[in-house]
Amino acid sequence: MFRPYERLRAVARPPLRPAAFFWAVVAPGDELGRPKNVQGLIFSEEEAGYLAGHLAALVLALSPGDNVISSIGGQRMPSVERLIAGYRAGARGANPRVATLNSYTDDFLDPLKGRSVALSQIAKGSRVVFQVAGACGLGALEAAKEHGIWGIGVDVDQSHLGPHILTSAVKRLDVAVFDTIEKLVNGKFKTGRTSRFSLRNHGVGLGAISRDVPRSLVAEIERIRAEIVAGTIAIPNPVR
């Protein structure tokens, strides 16, 4: 379940479902009031965002133009904020001179809103647009394609949209759900707690990276990934 926490809390609590187990995707236990028969599944989206931002800053050096990248959020909510915060931090880690623009559409559904915001950012020099706005963000990626610049997808691998997709900041719901079911089958499933999925356990990461990206840059991203997993790179959660 993705956001109806109040409904889940009402259904999960005894005496309605005393013998049933629930898990809530992208919800920490505290947000649910920690019912004893619910497990929250959360993601370290900032780690995927960091890798995407780092790569975005690196590819700017491949062609002439402004040192500007941008992101477009749907609404101000924790998962979106973590992705954008990581994106900005990753870009600064690759090149402190890179400027990062950020805007919100206050919408996750209307592609025209995403397109409009992206066009505004492109007019200000953005050469990589990171969409964090669901279906609304598809319009942003289309605007990037039309203007011959890079787009970065979100949540799932969106490389199928075309060669203009640099990569995608991926949240592996399949890994989280499989891990949870496997624990349930093996008798290791524990409720009343929160499980976190990160680069370390393959819960987040990057989708396919464009073939036009030099191998040296791909190797750099792999090095950064290893440093994040080792804990040598600290990534801020709030947008700064």
Side-chain angles (χ1 to χ4, degrees):
M1 301 183 68
F2 287 85
R3 291 191 70 187
Y5 306 142
E6 291 293 335
R7 295 179 184 178
L8 177 58
R9 185 186 297 115
V11 171
R13 280 186 170 173
L16 293 179
R17 299 289 189 274
F21 294 137
F22 298 84
W23 69 81
V25 180
V26 200
D30 289 339
E31 254 182 286
L32 302 170
R34 289 199 179 275
K36 292 183 179 180
N37 57 340
V38 175
Q39 181 185 46
L41 309 181
I42 62 174
F43 295 82
S44 297
E45 291 98 345
E46 69 278 4
E47 295 181 351
Y50 191 98
L51 294 179
H54 200 89
L55 181 59
L58 291 177
V59 299
L60 292 181
L62 300 178
S63 59
D66 296 330
N67 281 332
V68 181
I69 64 173
S70 60
S71 56
I72 298 174
Q75 295 179 347
R76 289 173 173 82
M77 54 188 294
S79 59
V80 172
E81 297 276 274
R82 287 193 292 268
L83 279 163
I84 294 172
Y87 182 70
R88 288 181 161 187
R92 288 195 299 268
N95 183 354
R97 296 186 299 276
V98 169
T100 56
L101 309 176
N102 182 55
S103 303
Y104 291 87
T105 60
D106 294 319
D107 189 282
F108 282 110
L109 299 176
D110 187 354
L112 292 179
K113 291 182 179 179
R115 172 184 169 81
S116 176
V117 173
L119 289 175
S120 175
Q121 294 178 339
I122 293 169
K124 295 175 182 177
S126 176
R127 294 198 283 140
V128 185
V129 175
F130 178 31
Q131 81 96 347
V132 195
C136 176
L138 295 178
L141 296 180
E142 186 64 25
K145 179 180 179 180
E146 292 173 3
H147 284 262
I149 68 170
W150 291 113
I152 298 178
V154 75
D155 290 339
V156 297
D157 189 337
Q158 296 187 307
S159 59
H160 65 279
L161 295 176
H164 64 295
I165 301 299
L166 176 61
T167 190
S168 304
V170 174
K171 185 157 51 183
R172 297 294 304 274
L173 297 178
D174 56 332
V175 170
V177 172
F178 182 86
D179 178 82
T180 303
I181 293 175
E182 186 175 48
K183 287 180 179 178
L184 179 62
V185 171
N186 293 333
K188 297 179 180 180
F189 181 73
K190 296 181 180 180
T191 55
R193 56 181 288 183
T194 297
S195 292
R196 177 177 293 276
F197 293 87
S198 63
L199 286 176
R200 181 181 297 276
N201 57 11
H202 308 290
V204 300
L206 292 184
I209 296 176
S210 170
R211 294 179 180 178
D212 293 331
V213 175
R215 291 184 179 180
S216 60
L217 299 192
V218 176
E220 168 73 2
I221 294 303
E222 284 301 314
R223 182 183 67 81
I224 294 299
R225 180 191 182 282
E227 289 190 13
I228 294 173
V229 171
T232 56
I233 294 179
I235 306 173
N237 277 329
V239 175
R240 294 178 183 175

